[in-house]
Amino acid sequence: MNADTAARVRALVDSASGDLLGYLVRRVSPAEDAADLLGEALLIAWRRRRELPDDPERARMWLFGVARRVLANHHRGVRRRLALAERLHLELAGFAAAQSGDPADSDEGREVRAAVAALPDELRELVMLVHWDGFGIGEAAELLGVNASTARTRYQRARGLLAAALVGEPAVG
């Protein structure tokens, strides 16, 4: 790159950045995003500086075109994030509705949940991974960062504690 191109880019940025920021502020919400978009537009303009027109007015229009495309990308990203959040919200609502008819809402289900909640942390998480999340003991061991034999031993201990809690006996272990 020659010094002339760098000087033209600097002059263009100096003369147009205020107007460019105003253009972006009027088109995004929250307005604080405009500064990030301006930075992105200027970075792209710098990377594509070899395409900068020689005519100062055409160069200004070129820079606004870069900013317009950055703004369009920003709006597409916002729409995608909102759509994803909506899909996730609907999925979670469907999951919660499916769970509402679950026998876990019964007295027995509450009793089991209370017994599981009373387990020590490492046992509770293992039981939840196996019974509520559908992992095998080996997979749960991997997720917990313990070897499979340790997980099997803990699982047996948890079963004993749960059985004792559910029949009202004092727990041993």
Side-chain angles (χ1 to χ4, degrees):
M1 175 184 69
N2 62 34
D4 182 49
T5 303
R8 286 186 20 230
V9 170
R10 275 190 225 105
L12 175 63
V13 168
D14 287 345
S15 69
S17 61
D19 293 338
L20 204 53
L21 181 60
Y23 168 84
L24 294 166
V25 164
R26 289 185 292 275
R27 287 164 176 79
V28 295
S29 179
E32 292 81 15
D33 287 352
D36 293 333
L37 295 174
L38 175 63
E40 188 175 339
L42 294 177
L43 179 63
I44 291 169
W46 179 255
R47 287 179 181 158
R48 297 180 61 199
R49 63 191 173 271
R50 288 176 184 83
E51 300 172 24
L52 183 66
D54 291 331
D55 177 62
E57 188 55 35
R58 302 255 330 131
R60 178 181 164 81
M61 295 305 296
W62 175 83
L63 184 58
F64 271 83
V66 169
R68 185 181 62 78
R69 287 186 292 282
V70 166
L71 184 62
N73 285 338
H74 172 75
H75 287 308
R76 277 191 296 276
V78 167
R79 284 192 301 274
R80 279 192 303 268
R81 284 187 297 280
L82 290 174
L84 179 60
E86 180 62 23
R87 281 196 314 270
L88 181 59
H89 175 75
L90 291 174
E91 219 172 284
L92 290 174
F95 177 76
Q99 295 298 313
S100 67
D102 194 346
D105 286 342
S106 68
D107 288 340
E108 183 179 296
R110 281 191 287 279
E111 191 177 322
V112 169
R113 287 184 184 275
V116 170
L119 290 172
D121 290 344
E122 72 276 359
L123 301 181
R124 181 178 53 248
E125 184 62 19
L126 178 61
V127 168
M128 291 170 64
L129 286 169
V130 170
H131 291 282
W132 294 349
D133 298 316
F135 290 101
I137 292 177
E139 295 167 323
E142 188 175 333
L143 286 170
L144 295 172
V146 298
N147 65 44
S149 63
T150 301
R152 282 190 294 277
T153 302
R154 287 181 183 175
Y155 183 72
Q156 289 304 317
R157 181 171 171 238
R159 283 180 51 158
L161 291 170
L162 286 172
L166 293 172
V167 295
E169 296 177 4
V172 178

